[in-house]
Amino acid sequence: MPSTTAPRMSAWTLAMQREPMVRIGIVLAQDGQRDLVIEIPTVDYTLDAGDGGEAAPAGALLALHLDGETVAFTLGDQRLRRASCIRLMPRTPTALVPGAGVMVRDIVAGRGFHWQKRIHQFLSGALEIVPAAGGLVVVNELPLEDYLAGVITAEMSGACPPALLAAQCIVARSWLLALTEPKHGDEPFDRCNDDCCQRYQGTGDLSPTALEATHATRGQVLRAPTGVVLDANYAKSCGGISETPVAVWGFEKPGLSAIVDAPPGAAEHRFFPLIDAHLDEYLDGPWVARTTCFCSPNVVPLDAIGRYLGRVDTTDDYFRWTVRYPQAELAALLRERMTDAAELTEVCDLRVRGRGVSGRAYSVEVLWRDTAGREQRSRLDSEYRIRQVLHRGFLYSSAFAVRPERTAEGRLTALTLRGAGWGHGVGLCQIGALGMALLGYDHRQICTHYYPQAELVTAYG
């Protein structure tokens, strides 16, 4: 546990050589959550509503409601009160064990993705509750290492092999400490708790293996060739080849490069960089059945993957997948998702205009007819936007081949997307790293495989 003078994440630098405190957004204004219940299970807390603080005993319920520009609340059977800010803090240090801390009910997980749901979360450290337009905001303030234990058991399961959990911990620590992506600059926290940043679901899923992985790698980060902490992005499955930052975000990140997710010398390296002429073979060639790609079902079997994924994930074949849209369904989807296609009556074609080295599309052109029968063109110009538009939930990845079905006259009747991977594909492939761990690679080898230009160093002890 750091001292009360531990640096804030927003002010942290590598030269400090100290563990920072982090502020994580648990409930966001965009969630529209006007009511909230927090259970205080086994440890006494102090509740400070701007009046110096009072005891919040174990077993009490804290009920909160957004009331204009204040938070209305009751603690147990006490009278209703209001405050502009509430802080809930443990009165004594508590051990980081499964279920430690208070329980916040019905938190959104997977905002905007196909797996979105509400879950209860146990949260250690301090909580801050403030009002915002449309909903309450809950911030969890805690030491970075305690936060990481909750990250690695939310991004992947605490049942994962120690090498995967240790590698995931180093990568998650590096990504956070690099602090290069300003996603929540105008909000009262450093990062949110969801896939927008990186998943954090508190202490409910902690395991002895995960706690040991956090302890064993304490303070360890990846350092970029430029000397700064590496902005160590990661995604669920690369599908066989990882991607470059420029293809996903439009700019380079020093120390991040694309790799083939297979052992050195494996036949899969012949596909790198992936070009259109080889795309169909890459997706469906005979080699797929015998591939040695670390993220393939040959290494991480589909009937076992469920126990290794995070608890909000669904089990599926993410290495290769298929989505098919009949004309009417595709037209309805594009009318809904594309701002310039309100008059779309028929989809004529979908053409990929730009791909990265993994086959991930970063520019797609949609050809369609309007109500007057005129042909129109729309562009989807980012990996994220492509995935957002081309699925009711969120398309697994933009590494896909477009396979149209047409009438004898050439009219589009249906469209199939045959794809690879889950996520943007930059940096560590989580299922691939799991495959490496299952094959006996250690956490250093895993980090070196996915970040060959980076160096493992200790930022603080």
Side-chain angles (χ1 to χ4, degrees):
M1 175 76 71
S3 71
T4 55
T5 58
R8 290 289 180 92
M9 181 67 245
S10 56
W12 186 88
T13 65
L14 189 58
M16 289 179 176
Q17 292 287 299
R18 297 172 61 203
E19 177 188 5
M21 296 289 285
V22 297
R23 290 171 57 84
I24 307 301
I26 303 298
V27 178
L28 312 188
Q30 70 188 66
D31 298 337
Q33 198 154 337
R34 301 180 63 86
D35 295 280
L36 196 68
V37 175
I38 299 175
E39 297 183 19
I40 305 171
T42 59
V43 177
D44 288 348
Y45 276 69
T46 294
L47 185 149
D48 187 351
D51 52 5
E54 64 183 281
L61 288 182
L62 176 62
L64 306 117
H65 173 74
L66 180 65
D67 186 6
E69 296 182 355
T70 64
V71 180
F73 68 98
T74 58
L75 178 61
D77 57 1
Q78 296 180 4
R79 62 181 176 82
L80 181 70
R81 290 177 286 168
R82 290 173 177 80
S84 58
C85 177
I86 295 172
R87 284 184 63 84
L88 193 62
M89 300 158 287
R91 303 185 77 176
T92 57
T94 56
L96 194 65
V97 297
V102 300
M103 185 177 79
V104 184
R105 297 179 183 172
D106 298 320
I107 294 172
V108 175
R111 294 180 184 92
F113 291 91
H114 65 273
W115 60 88
Q116 180 172 315
K117 59 191 71 173
R118 288 186 177 271
I119 60 174
H120 300 340
Q121 293 185 14
F122 289 92
L123 301 169
S124 62
L127 291 186
E128 182 177 286
I129 304 102
V130 295
L136 297 169
V137 172
V138 179
V139 179
N140 187 192
E141 186 175 89
L142 72 169
L144 173 56
E145 296 297 312
D146 290 3
Y147 160 74
L148 288 169
V151 169
I152 65 173
T153 50
E155 285 286 348
M156 297 291 278
S157 164
C160 286
L164 177 278
L165 293 171
Q168 177 69 80
C169 194
I170 291 167
V171 171
R173 184 184 293 111
S174 301
W175 182 83
L176 186 76
L177 289 175
L179 205 64
T180 60
E181 300 177 38
K183 296 189 175 187
H184 299 283
D186 58 348
E187 297 177 270
F189 46 84
D190 303 312
R191 295 295 195 207
C192 77
N193 64 334
D194 218 337
D195 293 69
C196 162
C197 293
Q198 55 187 7
R199 289 185 196 169
Y200 166 68
Q201 293 166 2
T203 65
D205 297 315
L206 297 185
S207 69
T209 307
L211 291 170
E212 174 56 28
T214 309
H215 175 74
T217 66
R218 177 178 172 83
Q220 294 180 17
V221 298
L222 295 164
R223 186 167 61 190
T226 55
V228 301
V229 177
L230 181 72
D231 186 359
N233 294 105
Y234 56 91
K236 196 63 71 178
S237 172
C238 68
I241 301 175
S242 70
E243 192 48 82
T244 63
V246 71
V248 176
W249 298 293
F251 53 86
E252 296 288 356
K253 293 188 176 185
L256 281 181
S257 57
I259 56 98
V260 176
D261 196 27
E268 289 82 347
H269 287 266
R270 74 186 186 275
F271 291 110
F272 185 83
L274 187 59
I275 59 175
D276 282 335
H278 299 155
L279 184 59
D280 285 337
E281 184 188 359
Y282 174 71
L283 292 171
D284 291 311
W287 73 277
V288 174
R290 58 180 183 274
T291 180
T292 58
C293 280
F294 296 128
C295 58
S296 73
N298 292 346
V299 180
V300 184
L302 291 179
D303 60 2
I305 196 172
R307 70 187 295 261
Y308 297 124
L309 294 176
R311 64 169 159 144
V312 300
D313 291 327
T314 54
T315 301
D316 204 346
D317 184 353
Y318 299 111
F319 188 67
R320 294 292 181 269
W321 49 264
T322 301
V323 176
R324 182 180 181 275
Y325 295 113
Q327 168 70 239
E329 183 180 355
L330 181 61
L333 178 64
L334 296 181
R335 274 195 303 271
E336 175 187 321
R337 297 299 176 89
M338 296 196 311
T339 56
D340 60 348
E343 295 189 358
L344 184 153
T345 60
E346 179 186 5
V347 182
C348 302
D349 207 356
L350 190 74
R351 299 172 182 172
V352 174
R353 296 303 192 189
R355 293 187 187 275
V357 297
S358 72
R360 281 171 169 78
Y362 57 80
S363 181
V364 166
E365 184 178 55
V366 183
L367 280 67
W368 51 278
R369 294 191 189 281
D370 62 18
T371 53
R374 296 169 299 201
E375 187 174 281
Q376 306 287 346
R377 297 168 185 259
S378 299
R379 293 288 288 249
L380 306 175
D381 280 327
S382 76
E383 174 268 351
Y384 186 93
R385 182 68 176 143
I386 291 166
R387 295 169 62 200
Q388 183 184 53
V389 168
L390 295 181
H391 199 275
R392 289 287 176 193
F394 205 78
L395 195 65
Y396 283 159
S397 89
S398 68
F400 55 76
V402 180
R403 296 175 180 172
E405 300 170 35
R406 300 185 184 277
T407 66
E409 295 76 28
R411 303 290 288 269
L412 187 71
T413 59
L415 192 72
T416 294
L417 303 179
R418 177 62 169 162
W422 175 12
H424 54 65
V426 178
L428 179 134
C429 168
Q430 291 172 301
I431 295 177
L434 168 62
M436 292 185 72
L438 292 173
L439 290 172
Y441 291 86
D442 65 29
H443 69 276
R444 290 177 178 272
Q445 292 170 311
I446 293 171
C447 289
T448 298
H449 172 66
Y450 290 106
Y451 309 98
Q453 300 177 45
E455 178 187 8
L456 186 60
V457 300
T458 299
Y460 54 82

